[in-house]
Amino acid sequence: MQNLLRGYEKSVRPVYNSSEAVVVALGLTLTQILDLDEKNQVLTTNVWMEVEWYDEKLLWNSSEYEGLASIRIPCNYMWLPDVVLYNSVDDYTSGYMPSLAMVYDNSRVFWGPVVRFRSSCKIDITYFPFDDQVCRLKLGSWAYNGYQVEVVNRSTTMDLTNFVDNGEWELIGVRVTRNVVYYNCCVEPFPDVTFYIQLRRRIKYYFMNIIIPCIILSFLCLAGFLLPPESGEKITLGLSVLLTITVFMLMVADKMPQTSESISVISIYLMVVLSMSCLSVLTSVWILSIHHQRGQPKQVPRWIKMFICSVLAPMLCIKIQKSDSEPSRKRQTNKDRRSMKKSRVAMEEPEIIRLEPMEEVQEISLVEKNGYRESFKERQDAINQLINMLQRKHHEEVKEDEVFREWRDVAFVLDRLLFVVFLLIITVATVCILEMRPGEKGFSRSGG
Ligand SMILES: *[C@@H]1O[C@H](CO)[C@@H](O)[C@H](O)[C@H]1NC(C)=O
């Protein structure tokens, strides 16, 4: 080593002819993907670098040294190519591990430091959590141009024999390309070797913790439509679902980079469910206000009644009880109708019928007592008026009840209609999100 390094200057390129380039072959052994930070778009990997070149100044004849064909030299004693990770997000203070370099008697040098790279990686969250990500590691000489240090790839793939699988990301494929780039600074070319790592998110965790709860919640939001308005819990249920969905949205948003470039499918799904439950709260308010109408209710407009009774109700398989409405009466036989009418007359106006003969009898018996007669007649009139009033009132109440019942029917049918509509929307959205996958565009994982 002393003979080799005598007069060795480690800061100059190891070539005798300065017009010639040092060819540096780069390779990576990927040992572990430590983390992919979606929020900051940083990929942390553990790699073994493989750097290989010929150092013309480290040449010896093995026969002169008892057949010694290779030696290990501490790498800080010799020239090293200034290979850097172009897309690193670290501050370069750590540097490389000062490992030994293997030097062979034909002047070949192999240097393999272990490095932890923190590289920037553009994250596309469109298909989150069904997403694939492609990250790249761009390695090249920083200061030497392509005429001085020629960077080439050692192989077309990364070595994955020592790869330890990541729990969150599955390694789909790796690829290596060599590029030559001309920068603004200089006219010389700057070659680099770019390693592509394609990762696919393992879905189970997100499936169990986000997708399935979201689907369950979205169906829970439907339950609000089945809840009868009398229970008074319609809006409470809707609001609880709304709040829970908001929590899930926050959870998902927490994972995502704050970018407006693309919106993730799961966010859209959550947005659909959120707006559904918002709408369900709104429609609950509307239906409750229909159901609990105050004051003098207006008659249900005829066209609404027709539409709901003859179109919506049969469509939704709802039987509406129609006591006073025309269609039901048509169905009854004439005999039924007549008997019903009779009984109704008997029921509604018994007092008047009974009162009239009584009045005559009273009149006859009291005919002599003229003085009484006057006041009795007055009383009679007052009673009749009172009875008429009560009767009218009763009629009105019956009618009002009828109108209320009709409005409640309208509310019920609307509730059911909205249930079916929301069920359809949520089913379609759920099927869509489960079918959503990024297009297959990857490259194969070929280790070795
Ligand atoms: C140095 O290398 C260049 C290019 O390979 C060649 O043209 C030139 O003749 C070489 N010079 C010497 C002194 O060998």
Side-chain angles (χ1 to χ4, degrees):
M1 200 168 100
Q2 275 175 1
N3 288 347
L4 272 178
L5 295 177
R6 192 171 296 129
Y8 186 91
E9 178 52 59
K10 64 178 180 180
S11 49
V12 295
R13 287 189 305 126
V15 283
Y16 288 112
N17 181 345
S18 67
S19 315
E20 277 178 4
V22 181
V23 178
V24 173
L26 282 177
L28 288 185
T29 295
L30 188 63
T31 55
Q32 200 174 357
I33 292 159
L34 292 170
D35 181 40
L36 179 55
D37 181 353
E38 294 99 332
K39 210 169 171 61
N40 298 313
Q41 318 209 36
V42 173
L43 172 74
T44 311
T45 44
N46 241 15
V47 296
W48 303 344
M49 270 174 81
E50 298 154 4
V51 192
E52 209 173 6
W53 69 95
Y54 284 88
D55 192 323
E56 291 176 9
K57 291 177 179 165
L58 300 179
L59 184 68
W60 75 93
N61 195 346
S62 60
S63 57
E64 285 171 25
Y65 296 89
E66 298 175 348
L68 183 71
S70 76
I71 56 168
R72 307 287 187 271
I73 299 181
C75 68
N76 46 0
Y77 286 5
M78 55 192 285
W79 179 84
L80 294 174
D82 60 337
V83 174
V84 295
L85 182 68
Y86 274 62
N87 59 332
S88 171
V89 292
D90 258 347
D91 51 7
Y92 296 103
T93 50
S94 52
Y96 292 121
M97 164 195 181
S99 65
L100 296 170
M102 300 171 207
V103 183
Y104 297 89
D105 61 350
N106 61 349
S107 79
R108 187 166 73 92
V109 180
F110 180 87
W111 181 48
V114 176
V115 196
R116 177 170 298 177
F117 281 142
R118 278 167 48 78
S119 54
S120 65
C121 178
K122 186 98 196 72
I123 303 282
D124 177 13
I125 42 99
T126 310
Y127 294 103
F128 176 88
F130 302 101
D131 52 341
D132 281 11
Q133 303 296 343
V134 177
C135 293
R136 58 194 192 101
L137 302 169
K138 181 177 169 180
L139 290 166
S141 169
W142 187 254
Y144 292 117
N145 62 38
Y147 298 136
Q148 295 161 328
V149 170
E150 172 106 41
V151 177
V152 296
N153 48 321
R154 279 187 91 212
S155 72
T156 55
T157 174
M158 288 166 98
D159 188 347
L160 299 173
T161 45
N162 293 291
F163 182 68
V164 178
D165 266 326
N166 182 278
E168 191 181 355
W169 295 93
E170 187 186 350
L171 186 67
I172 297 293
V174 288
R175 189 163 55 104
V176 184
T177 58
R178 178 178 182 269
N179 314 293
V180 177
V181 185
Y182 290 85
Y183 293 100
N184 288 335
C185 70
C186 335
V187 290
E188 295 90 1
F190 280 84
D192 66 73
V193 177
T194 306
F195 300 83
Y196 293 93
I197 300 171
Q198 191 184 15
L199 301 169
R200 177 164 298 164
R201 195 186 296 275
R202 291 188 200 271
I203 192 68
K204 253 181 232 157
Y205 172 83
Y206 292 95
F207 214 77
M208 290 307 291
N209 291 289
I210 292 183
I211 307 264
I212 290 182
C214 282
I215 292 173
I216 292 172
L217 270 182
S218 59
F219 283 98
L220 193 63
C221 126
L222 287 176
F225 293 111
L226 297 179
L227 206 60
E230 288 89 353
S231 74
E233 296 283 335
K234 265 176 113 69
I235 290 178
T236 320
L237 177 66
L239 283 179
S240 310
V241 172
L242 202 74
L243 280 177
T244 323
I245 291 165
T246 316
V247 170
F248 271 96
M249 285 193 89
L250 284 177
M251 258 174 70
V252 170
D254 206 41
K255 263 266 163 199
M256 305 278 187
Q258 278 140 351
T259 170
S260 296
E261 283 167 358
S262 55
I263 300 165
S264 68
V265 177
I266 185 93
S267 298
I268 295 172
Y269 179 71
L270 280 174
M271 194 49 88
V272 168
V273 176
L274 185 79
S275 35
M276 288 282 111
S277 49
C278 253
L279 269 175
S280 94
V281 170
L282 283 180
T283 51
S284 292
V285 170
W286 179 46
I287 279 168
L288 283 174
S289 68
I290 289 177
H291 188 270
H292 300 291
Q293 284 211 24
R294 288 189 57 201
Q296 202 79 352
K298 265 191 268 171
Q299 197 90 27
V300 181
R302 227 183 130 70
W303 63 273
I304 291 181
K305 208 152 64 180
M306 282 297 289
F307 183 65
I308 281 183
C309 287
S310 49
V311 180
L312 285 182
M315 234 166 64
L316 301 165
C317 305
I318 300 169
K319 269 199 174 149
I320 288 188
Q321 189 198 343
K322 307 162 196 166
S323 66
D324 204 34
S325 52
E326 298 80 39
S328 75
R329 223 190 271 178
K330 255 176 230 159
R331 246 184 264 143
Q332 287 167 332
T333 61
N334 276 349
K335 197 183 156 200
D336 274 350
R337 223 161 74 192
R338 242 175 281 133
S339 70
M340 213 178 93
K341 227 173 189 173
K342 233 186 235 167
S343 71
R344 182 166 289 180
V345 167
M347 239 171 61
E348 283 174 1
E349 307 164 36
E351 285 87 358
I352 296 174
I353 294 165
R354 238 179 283 142
L355 214 64
E356 261 155 320
M358 225 166 92
E359 191 184 4
E360 276 165 34
V361 172
Q362 297 271 2
E363 255 177 285
I364 295 162
S365 63
L366 294 170
V367 78
E368 301 95 334
K369 299 173 180 175
N370 262 347
Y372 281 116
R373 202 182 164 192
E374 219 37 43
S375 66
F376 180 79
K377 252 245 147 107
E378 266 171 33
R379 226 160 48 203
Q380 197 70 48
D381 279 351
I383 287 170
N384 272 352
Q385 257 174 18
L386 193 69
I387 285 168
N388 276 342
M389 203 188 74
L390 283 174
Q391 228 174 338
R392 229 180 300 123
K393 193 121 185 137
H394 175 69
H395 267 296
E396 261 168 28
E397 260 167 25
V398 165
K399 227 178 114 189
E400 209 166 277
D401 269 2
E402 188 66 23
V403 170
F404 269 131
R405 208 185 52 71
E406 274 177 10
W407 276 116
R408 274 204 292 278
D409 281 346
V410 169
F412 180 74
V413 171
L414 282 180
D415 237 359
R416 219 20 97 72
L417 175 73
L418 287 168
F419 172 77
V420 170
V421 168
F422 279 38
L423 179 69
L424 278 180
I425 291 174
I426 282 177
T427 310
V428 167
T430 305
V431 168
C432 278
I433 191 164
L434 291 179
E435 286 302 307
M436 202 61 92
R437 288 288 187 285
E440 292 297 329
K441 55 167 192 251
F443 26 84
S444 71
R445 166 185 178 168
S446 42

